[in-house]
Amino acid sequence: MVAIAAAATAVHAAHAEIEVKEVSISDKLLLPDESLWIKEGLLEKKRVGATVSWNPRRAVLTKDALFFAKPNTTIIIDEIPLEDIVNILEEFNEEDSKDIIREIIVETSPTGINAGRAYTYKADSHEHKDWLAAVKNAKTEKLEAMEYDQLLQKGKIRQIRAHVKAIYESNLMQIAVAGLIFISFITDLAQAEVLPEEGSEAQAKFFKMDIFFTVMFTLELFVNLFAKSHNAFAEFLSDGWNLLDVVIVIASLLTVLASDIPSVKVFRLIRVFRVARIFRRLKSLNRIISALACAVLPVANSFLILALVTCIWAALGTQFFRFRHEPMFGSFSKSLFTMFQVVTGDGWASSVTRVLFDDETLRNGTDFGIALFFVSYVLIAGVVLINVVIAVLLDEFISSIQREKQEIERQEKIEEEKRKALTRSNGILDPLSSHLSHFVTDRDLARKIADAYERLDNDGSGGLNYEEFQFGLKRLPTSSPIHLQDDDFDLLTEGGKLCNSQGEFSSEQFQEMMREEIRRYAQRQVANAMQESTSKDMRALLLMIKLMDQRIDTISKIVHSWGYSNKGMARIIEVYYQHDKDDSGQLSKQEATDALKQLSIPVSKHDEVLQRLDSDGDGTITKEEFYSILEIIEELSDERLRNIEKMVASLQRTTLPQTVRADASSHYYSNPCKQK
C-alpha cells in the first residue's frame, strides 16, 4: 500500500491542475464522503493476460472523478478524472442468444494521469444504462463547469463573447438567418417583377421591407463580428463569406441612407447577392461552390489557350477581310468579337461566312480560302478547345468532390479503426511488445529486451520494483504511453512470484516476462485479425496458426513436465548460445554433448540424439538442427510413458490377484486424471 501511496502522490503532483474538489489532501487515497457521491455500485474491470478475466471493483462517481476500490473497501486503487475522459463507448458482445454482455469502454486523454489508456468495464444488465448515462452527464457537467471557470478567469468580456458565439453558431440561429436571407431574396425578385413607380404606395412598402432587412442583416453582422473578435478579428477575417457579408451590408446601408442620390441607386443591385450567403449554411451547396472554386485555375489555363487561338484567327481575319466587310473585320477588336461569335456557333455560317461569299468577283459564289479559314477555326476552337475547357472543368469538379468524399471516408475509417482498437483485447504492455516484436534474430530480441530493462532501471540497481517500473514505462519511446497499475503489476509478475523479497525483479526475470508477453501479444493479434477479417481464406490461415501455437505450447509443457528444460524453447535457445562461444552458428559434437547434459538429456540417449540432430551428417550441428530437439524430447517423453505403462502392467500381472487386478485396472482407466 505504500507503493500505491507513493505512486498516487507522484501522479497528483505532476497533474496539480487536476484536483478533486471538496476532498482534503490527506483523504485523497480514500473514497470521498458519501454526500459527494452521484452513483455507487459494483463494476467488473477487464484484465487481459494469458486469458481475459473480469475483476469486481467498487465504483464511485462524483462530480469530479470516477473512483475505484476493491469490494467492501474505501481505499482508492484507481481514478479517472472526468475531464480526462475523451470518449465513452458502448459495446455489445452477443456470446449467446440469451446472454448479451454490455461493456462500457472509457477512453482517456493521452495528456491525463491515465496516459491515454482505455478501460473496459461491465455492469449488470439492469444498471448498464444508468452507469452509462451517469458518467456521460457527469462528464458534460464537469467540462461545462471548467469552461465557465476559465471564462471567469479571462474576464467578463470574454465570457459574454463566448456565450454570444455559442448562440450565434447554434443550429436554431443559423436556420433563422438562412430563412431571413431567403425571404429577402424573394422580396427582391418580387420588386424586380412589379417595378413600382417612384412615390407609389407599392414602392414605399418595398422600401420599408428593405429597411427591415438591412437592419436585421446589419445586426447579424455586428453579432458575428463581436463573436469572432478574438485575436484582432483573425477568425472573422479568415472566412471569405464574412467579407462578402460586409460588402453586401455596406451596399444595403448606402441604398437606404442615401436613397435620394441617383448614383447610389445602382448599389441596390448588390442586394440580390444576399442569397449567396445561404451557400455557406447548406453543406450540399457549399460543397459545389468549393469544387467550382478549386476548378477556377485549371479552367482559366484552358480558357487562356482558347483566347490565344482566337486572337490568332482574329489577327488573320483583320488582314484578310477588312476590305470585304469593314463592320465585322475592320479592326482587331471587331474581328475578335466576330470570331467569338463564330466559336459560340451563333449564325457563323449564315451571318458571317456567307456574307463574305456575297462578292461579285467570285465565279461560283464560293471562296475556298474563306471556307478553310472558318472551318479550321470552328474545328480547332469550337470543337476541340471548348470541349477541353468543359473536360477540365468536369475533371477538376469531380476530383474535388471525390477528394472530399475520400477525406470523409478516411475520417470514418479512422474512427472505426479507433473503435476497433478500443474494443480489442489489449495487454498493458502491448505498446512495448509491439516495439520489441521488430526483432530479426533471437539474439536481437534478447538485446532489445536488455536495452529496455536498462532504460527502466533508472538507478542501475539491477532490480525493478513497482514504482520504478511504472515511472520507467512512461518514459519509454513507445507508440502510446503505458500507464501501469498495481493489479497490472501483480498480473505481470504472476502475483509476485517473479519478485524477490524486496518486491523487485531482475533482468533475467524481465527477459522471461517479456518473451511471454510477446507470445501473448502475437496470440492476441492473431485472434483480433481473425475476428475482424472478412476473408474466409485468411480466417482459415489464422486458425491454422492458432492450432500450431497450441501444438508448440503442448510440446513446451511436455518438456517442462519431464524436467529436460525448465524454461521451454527459451531455455534451449539460451543453452545453444552459451555453447556457441565462437558465434560460428554451429556446434561441434563436444559442444552439443555438453549442451545435452545441461538440458538434462539422459547420457544413454546422447549418441542417438546427436545422430538425429546432425541431419546432414557433416559432424556439426546448426542452430536450426539444434532447435529440433523439441521433437526428439517429445518422442523421448512418449517412450518413457510407454515404459511406465509396461511396468505398471507387469506389476499387475505378477503381484496382484486376478480380482484385484481387474478392479484396479477398471478404476485406473475410468479416472482420466489417473491415466495421466
Side-chain angles (χ1 to χ4, degrees), residues 133-148:
V135 175
K136 287 183 176 181
N137 293 335
K139 173 199 170 185
T140 302
E141 293 176 0
K142 176 64 177 178
L143 294 179
E144 291 177 352
M146 291 179 60
E147 184 178 359
Y148 182 76

Side-chain angles (χ1 to χ4, degrees), residues 212-256:
F212 170 75
F213 289 125
T214 301
V215 171
M216 295 302 295
F217 288 131
T218 303
L219 292 176
E220 186 257 345
L221 176 62
F222 278 109
V223 170
N224 187 16
L225 192 64
F226 175 72
K228 300 176 181 178
S229 60
H230 180 63
N231 195 14
F233 303 95
E235 184 179 359
F236 181 87
L237 297 176
S238 61
D239 191 348
W241 292 106
N242 292 331
L243 301 180
L244 177 63
D245 290 350
V246 173
V247 173
I248 294 176
V249 169
I250 291 176
S252 300
L253 289 173
L254 288 175
T255 58
V256 171

Side-chain angles (χ1 to χ4, degrees), residues 410-480:
R410 189 181 69 85
Q411 293 296 334
E412 291 177 350
K413 287 182 180 179
I414 291 175
E415 291 297 325
E416 181 64 23
E417 182 60 30
K418 187 176 180 181
R419 183 181 181 89
K420 287 181 179 179
L422 292 174
T423 56
R424 291 171 186 154
S425 297
N426 298 318
I428 180 60
L429 295 183
D430 276 5
L432 179 57
S433 300
S434 175
H435 174 71
L436 296 176
S437 64
H438 299 285
F439 63 91
V440 179
T441 62
D442 186 78
R443 182 171 293 180
D444 183 39
L445 175 60
R447 181 184 58 79
K448 286 179 178 291
I449 297 176
D451 291 343
Y453 186 85
E454 289 182 7
R455 288 195 174 203
L456 295 170
D457 188 13
N458 193 34
D459 56 2
S461 61
L464 282 177
N465 56 21
Y466 169 67
E467 295 93 337
E468 194 174 4
F469 191 37
Q470 182 190 50
F471 178 73
L473 286 174
K474 290 186 177 182
R475 295 187 297 110
L476 289 180
T478 53
S479 57
S480 58

Side-chain angles (χ1 to χ4, degrees), residues 195-206:
L195 293 177
E197 297 180 359
E198 291 290 336
S200 64
E201 183 179 355
Q203 194 271 342
K205 290 182 179 180
F206 279 116

Side-chain angles (χ1 to χ4, degrees), residues 48-65:
V48 180
T51 59
V52 176
S53 60
W54 296 89
N55 292 353
R57 290 287 183 265
R58 184 184 184 185
V60 174
L61 177 65
T62 68
K63 65 184 182 65
D64 294 303

Side-chain angles (χ1 to χ4, degrees), residues 251-264:
S252 300
L253 289 173
L254 288 175
T255 58
V256 171
L257 299 177
S259 58
D260 297 334
I261 302 176
S263 59
V264 177

Side-chain angles (χ1 to χ4, degrees), residues 442 511-512 515-516 556 565-578 599 627 630:
D442 186 78
Q511 284 274 349
E512 181 179 352
R515 287 179 182 272
E516 182 64 20
S556 177
S565 173
N566 61 352
K567 293 185 180 178
M569 192 63 187
R571 175 63 174 164
I572 293 175
I573 295 172
E574 181 183 356
V575 170
Y576 175 83
Y577 283 115
Q578 286 179 0
L599 289 172
Y627 288 172
L630 278 175

